[in-house]
Structures are given as structure tokens and as C-alpha cells.
Amino acid sequence: MDRRRFIRKAGAAAAAAFAAPYILPSGRLFAASGGGLAQHVVLVLFAGGVRQQESVLQRYLADSQGEPYEGNVLYNMLSGAPPEMKIVYGTGLGGINPIPSVLGQSLQQQGTLFREMRAVSTGHFGGLNSLLQGNTAATQGLQQKPLNPTIFEYLRRHAGVPASKCWFVGNSIGGSVPLLNYSEHPTYGARYGANFFAPNVTFGPLGQQYLGDAKVYHPEEQLGPVYAMKAFLDNSFEHVVDAPTGIGNTAAEKADIKAFMAEMFQRTQNGAIAHPPVHDNGDLTTVGYACEVIRWFQPTLTVVNLSGVDGCHSNFTGYLASLHRADHAVGHLWNFIQTQVPGMAGNTTLIAVPECGRNDDPNAIKDQNDWFSYDHSDANARRVFGLMAGAGVQAGLQVGSEGSPVGLVTDVVPTVAELLGIKNEVLSAGLIDPQSMSLFDRI
């Protein structure tokens, strides 16, 4: 074997093993109740603390900076005219060029918008846990696996879905994100977990440095670089490789994942990843690889984490730009499914819900436009919206208002369960919050 072939094989195998390393037993323990509304669900964890005023209320600068400019910066997701002045969220110098809409019809028009829901946490990790566990996660600690089962585990245990049909695509390995692909609950756990993939790490600068074809290491003559590569992977996926058991990918699934990772290295080098038309931040490149996961595996459940808007803590202008890009990402993701993945077009439901909102009052930090920034800790940070479209979802429906909120973020788990035909099993398990219910039952 020549050196180039060696590093290709070693790099692809190592990346697959560490990025999606686990398991196997997939066995169906109980018959699912069946009768689901969709064959596939794509859940977007949107997008790192989204303030209600700049999203669904379309207030732009009017409720944040004391400037009389309103408008919709999420026009793939929401219906409404964009701002006409003080444009800073697009491309070009100063962000003056808004990104063209991907979708001809907004997801709001295609589906159901819950205009005002309630988050159960004002923190990111707590919010993400509530979205994936269907529980308030009040005792959930940082750097800790979910205490109660995630929607991945419900689906795999009660519907017998194989591991390679459940994916959690994260945009980083920070903030305990890699811990969210399965819980430590004794009757669920790793053997029912999802494959976790952080493409911006695996195929980012360090990944390219250690695994790219430009680096050719000989197994005998260049052991130092080989060990350096191993240390990179061990460090990058520390939380994952420390897990005591595997996720349950069969031998055939492991081989398929390795082939996928090898393909991704090749497509990355060729500039052929299915990125959105504009992909100038981490959320957008994450969604490009999520599209590749969807094209290759056609998962029953895909969860994608976006977090770029978290920059709102210190840069309101950057927050607006990231918010606009997160919308671009969701529009591209939905369009890709409908136009590039025939096996999922027409039978997939997309759900997008922020894990938490942002404060009503700003902090003291001003950005380059002399605009105030916003943290997330007060009652306003519990205000979020929810959007779903596609199979089984009524089009053109709006539910709830500022004075009459409808829905909790913990409703997402029973909603996904209903879509995929396991709602009764999830409710019977008795491990989600008692106040949680399917959003379909809220309508």
C-alpha cells in the first residue's frame, strides 16, 4: 500500500470511528404504535438564543436599538417584507446585500407557525436538553449526559430504527453538545443513541491538517505525525470515546459510515459539499454537511444544531447577520430535501424551534454600529416561536400570540414521536414533563 492510500484509509477510518464510533445492537423491543404522519423528521435546533422581537415579531431595530426600522430578516421561514433601511445583515462591506431567498414560498406559508411558545430554560444546554428530552431538565448539569431518554433513544428502542438512520449533526464539540446523542438512563442509553457528527471539526482546519490528502504519513517512518493525528481525534471527541458502550451500528452500518466519511473527504477537497449558496459561517457549513448526511443515509430522524446567533452577547450586528444566515440554512436544507433527495421529498417534516430566547433589556456592550447587545436570563428569554412544515402538517396555520402563548419547547419530543408513530410509547414511558404534549394536540 502506498503512503497516500494509507493515509486516506487511516484518516477516513479514524474519523469515522471517532466521529460516529459506536454501537450496534438495533433490535426492536416493542412494537411501535405505528400510524405516523411522516416517514422522516428533520429537527433544527434554531439557533443559539433567538430574540422574539427580531424573529417572529419582525421588529428588526425597533425593539432593541430605539431606531424606527422594522422588517423580516427570516424570509425563508417567515412571511413578511424585509427591512428597507439600515441593512447590515447581508453580504458585502457592512452587510448591505441581503441574501436572496431560497424558497419561493415561506415555510410559514407551507406549514404551521406557533407564534409564541415558552422555553423552559434560559440557558443553551438546558434548552437543548429540553428540546431533546421533552423534560424540563431542571437537575441537568453541564458536562453531563441527558438524564432522561432523548428522542433518538425513544425512536430506536420503540420503533426499531437502525443507528445509521438517526443522526445528530452538531456545529461544534464545545458546550457539551456531543453529549446529547443519548442519555444515561438505565433502560435506554448508548445502545439506542444517534450517531454524532461535528463536520466543522472533522473537516475543519485541524482535521484537514491531520487527515487531508496533502498530509502523507508513513506507518513506520512517520509515527510522530500519526500519533499527533490520533491525539487530535482523541481530544476532539473525548466525550464520545469515553463512553462505555457503543451506539449499535451494525458491521454493515459501520462500513457504510466509513464509506460516507471517505466520500466527504473527497467532496470537501473537490469543493463539492452541498453547502447553501452563501456559506460564510459555521452554521451554514454545518448544514451543507447535514445535507450530505441526509442524501447518503436518508435518516428517519436528523437533528441539526445551529448556534451562530449566540454572538448577540457582544455583537448585535453580528447577531442579525447570523440570524439571517440561520434562516438561509433552513431554507437551503428544506429545498435540498425536496429537490435532491427523492426518497424524502413529500414525506418529511421539518421542525425548527430555538432552545431559548433573549432578554428584553440589553447589556452594556455596544458593537461597531453602536448598538446594544443582549444576554439571555430574564422572562423575555423564555419567549420563543416554533415552526413546522411538510408531511402531516397543516399549511397556512398560525397558533398562539404574545398574550396567549401556546406550546412548550418540551412539546417537541411528543410531536416528533407522533410524526414517527411512537407517541403512545413515549407518553407511556412516563419520563417527559407532565405538561408536555404533542403540538398537534395543542392546535
Side-chain angles (χ1 to χ4, degrees), residues 87-417:
I87 309 302
V88 299
Y89 50 81
T91 60
L93 184 63
I96 61 173
N97 302 313
I99 302 172
S101 179
V102 175
L103 302 178
Q105 186 182 45
S106 72
L107 288 169
Q108 176 181 341
Q109 292 174 293
Q110 298 181 48
T112 296
L113 172 65
F114 286 77
R115 295 190 62 85
E116 188 94 17
M117 296 173 59
R118 287 291 176 265
V120 300
S121 170
T122 58
H124 297 304
F125 195 53
L128 295 175
N129 268 287
S130 64
L131 281 166
L132 295 176
Q133 294 184 53
N135 197 289
T136 59
T139 60
Q140 181 71 55
L142 293 172
Q143 299 290 323
Q144 181 182 23
K145 276 285 186 187
L147 300 177
N148 290 308
T150 62
I151 184 59
F152 303 118
E153 295 156 78
Y154 286 124
L155 182 63
R156 293 202 53 217
R157 176 173 178 178
H158 297 296
V161 173
S164 60
K165 294 295 184 181
C166 290
W167 283 85
F168 179 30
V169 183
N171 55 355
S172 74
I173 57 172
S176 304
V177 169
L179 302 177
L180 296 171
N181 59 336
Y182 62 85
S183 75
E184 58 185 33
H185 194 279
T187 59
Y188 289 86
R191 63 191 184 281
Y192 302 114
N195 286 298
F196 174 77
F197 177 32
N200 290 338
V201 176
T202 304
F203 301 108
L206 282 178
Q208 288 298 316
Q209 176 183 342
Y210 286 114
L211 303 175
D213 280 350
K215 289 289 182 181
V216 180
Y217 305 134
H218 191 280
E220 296 177 353
E221 299 171 6
Q222 295 177 291
L223 285 177
V226 171
Y227 286 130
M229 177 181 71
K230 180 179 183 302
F232 158 71
L233 290 168
D234 287 348
N235 182 62
S236 297
F237 299 96
E238 178 181 9
H239 301 303
V240 176
V241 298
D242 282 350
T245 59
I247 288 173
N249 294 293
T250 65
E253 286 178 300
K254 284 184 173 180
D256 195 29
I257 291 169
K258 289 179 180 179
F260 168 73
M261 292 296 175
E263 173 78 5
M264 290 306 98
F265 275 104
Q266 194 65 51
R267 292 179 71 86
T268 299
Q269 287 192 330
N270 294 339
I273 297 297
H275 288 311
V278 174
H279 49 279
D280 57 3
N281 76 1
D283 283 347
L284 291 166
T285 55
T286 294
V287 162
Y289 285 100
C291 288
E292 297 290 353
V293 168
I294 287 171
R295 175 161 50 193
W296 186 284
F297 296 99
Q298 299 190 23
T300 304
L301 176 60
T302 308
V303 176
V304 184
N305 184 41
L306 306 180
S307 64
V309 305
D310 195 25
C312 191
H313 288 289
S314 59
N315 188 330
F316 193 83
T317 302
Y319 157 75
L320 292 173
S322 295
L323 197 56
H324 190 57
R325 281 154 178 76
D327 170 80
H328 182 57
V330 173
H332 173 76
L333 182 62
W334 187 240
N335 183 64
F336 184 85
I337 292 169
Q338 300 307 318
T339 62
Q340 304 297 317
V341 192
M344 292 177 64
N347 57 39
T348 299
T349 305
L350 184 144
I351 301 175
V353 182
E355 78 273 23
C356 66
R358 287 198 173 263
N359 288 353
D360 194 20
D361 295 322
N363 61 34
I365 301 174
K366 290 188 175 183
D367 66 15
Q368 66 271 32
N369 285 316
D370 209 24
W371 289 344
F372 286 105
S373 304
Y374 286 80
D375 302 319
H376 43 89
S377 58
D378 67 12
N380 196 71
R382 292 186 183 273
R383 300 176 62 191
V384 296
F385 69 94
L387 179 61
M388 55 184 185
V393 178
Q394 183 175 341
L397 178 65
Q398 296 188 51
V399 180
S401 64
E402 180 173 355
S404 182
V406 175
L408 303 168
V409 293
T410 52
D411 292 344
V412 168
V413 164
T415 302
V416 174

